[in-house]
Amino acid sequence: MGTMVRKQTAADQALRLDNQICFAVYSTAHAFNRVYKPLFDRLGLTYPQYLVMLALWERDDVPVKDLGERLFLDSGTLTPLLKRLEAAELVRRTRSTEDERVVLIALTQQGHALREKAKAVPQSILAASDCTVGELLAMKDEIVALRDRLNAVLGE
Amino acid sequence: MGTMVRKQTAADQALRLDNQICFAVYSTAHAFNRVYKPLFDRLGLTYPQYLVMLALWERDDVPVKDLGERLFLDSGTLTPLLKRLEAAELVRRTRSTEDERVVLIALTQQGHALREKAKAVPQSILAASDCTVGELLAMKDEIVALRDRLNAVLGE
DNA sequence: TCCAATTGAATTGTGCGCAATATAAATTCC
DNA sequence: GGAATTTATATTGCGCACAATTCAATTGGA
């Protein structure tokens, strides 16, 4: 009987850990969003829009698919987001002449210019986190490794 | 000149780290959601709904505010979510007689019963993560610590 | 006692995030 | 070359997530 109780407890704890680490990531993502939001408000961007801009600042003139793969987002999310960025005149959306299926996303002059303003934005995390660069780097690597293993499960 | 270049590089890297750890958390949260989704589909729950149920399985008959504090969510998110859980007959929403402002959330019999079915659901993370329990626990603690420091910044 | 301030939920509006579906263009296979 | 398949994007619908507002109930103070 003692054994059964122990077994159940072990299983329960495993489940609880699953839930705990998942909730930890979930709630931390929201916390990041809330900390960043007032900073992004000044730029007229949301966090996902900022991510897209980050990706574009690194490499421009890319298909929607490319952005989706880099950010783990699909067209259902990106198409309306990119249309809002286009309405804000930060990007241009043009259909490729070589392959009429692909829509190429390019930065406008304003889109490029925003990069300088955006540079002044973050850096609060390092201060707020009360961690060393090394600790944050290690944490990042662990989280990314976890994410990649989860994503690997999805691809069978 | 060489000094200036170095300085800029260091600042750039700090910003990149900010962005990287934020994106790591953001994209991992989505990865969890995608892994869990087919499992929750079978229960007729979404992940946020599951979180609410988890909270209620621990403690029942609580005000909406209580749930919000435990899950870091506000009424704008919880009210419609709880109404959907009510429509699914998993919870009951009743206004407190002591204080007519508060709405108490209680589990129905089906809500309690779902706990057993839900127990069989997770546990895939432990397998998929390819981590030991100790590693996951440590990672969870680090992430939670980061989250709590971020949330502390919000409360000034 | 009465009025001002606070509190707890609900409502409204915007923007993700994703599944399912649609559509059109390209590619493959015969 | 033409049918079948695949690929890239767009559309629709649903459910968060949150800011801002509203409203009723309660609390605190003068």
Side-chain angles (χ1 to χ4, degrees), chain A residues 61-64 92-106:
Chain A
D61 246 314
V62 290
V64 173
R92 248 188 306 277
R93 298 165 61 251
T94 54
R95 221 159 257 284
S96 164
T97 50
E98 295 170 21
D99 187 336
E100 292 272 342
R101 293 171 305 178
V102 333
V103 170
L104 294 171
I105 309 298

Side-chain angles (χ1 to χ4, degrees), chain B residues 53-95:
Chain B
M53 294 302 288
L54 273 184
L56 290 173
W57 286 326
E58 274 189 19
R59 193 152 36 87
D60 210 356
D61 244 315
V62 290
V64 173
K65 178 125 205 284
D66 238 66
L67 285 174
E69 279 168 4
R70 283 198 269 165
L71 302 174
F72 305 100
L73 296 172
D74 70 2
S75 70
T77 301
L78 286 175
T79 296
L81 187 157
L82 290 167
K83 283 183 176 176
R84 278 185 283 271
L85 289 181
E86 187 183 37
E89 297 184 8
L90 295 172
V91 307
R92 247 188 309 276
R93 298 164 61 250
T94 55
R95 222 158 255 284

Side-chain angles (χ1 to χ4, degrees), chain A residues 55-128:
Chain A
L56 290 173
W57 287 327
E58 274 188 19
R59 194 152 36 86
D60 210 357
D61 246 314
V62 290
V64 173
K65 178 126 204 284
D66 238 68
L67 285 174
E69 279 168 4
R70 282 198 269 166
L71 302 173
F72 306 100
L73 295 172
D74 70 2
S75 71
T77 300
L78 285 176
T79 296
L81 187 156
L82 290 168
K83 283 183 175 176
R84 279 185 284 272
L85 289 181
E86 187 183 37
E89 298 184 7
L90 294 172
V91 308
R92 248 188 306 277
R93 298 165 61 251
T94 54
R95 221 159 257 284
S96 164
T97 50
E98 295 170 21
D99 187 336
E100 292 272 342
R101 293 171 305 178
V102 333
V103 170
L104 294 171
I105 309 298
L107 290 166
T108 62
Q109 202 163 22
Q110 297 173 54
H112 280 295
L114 195 66
R115 183 177 200 168
E116 291 312 308
K117 263 200 271 183
K119 269 192 180 173
V121 166
Q123 84 201 152
S124 52
I125 302 306
L126 271 173

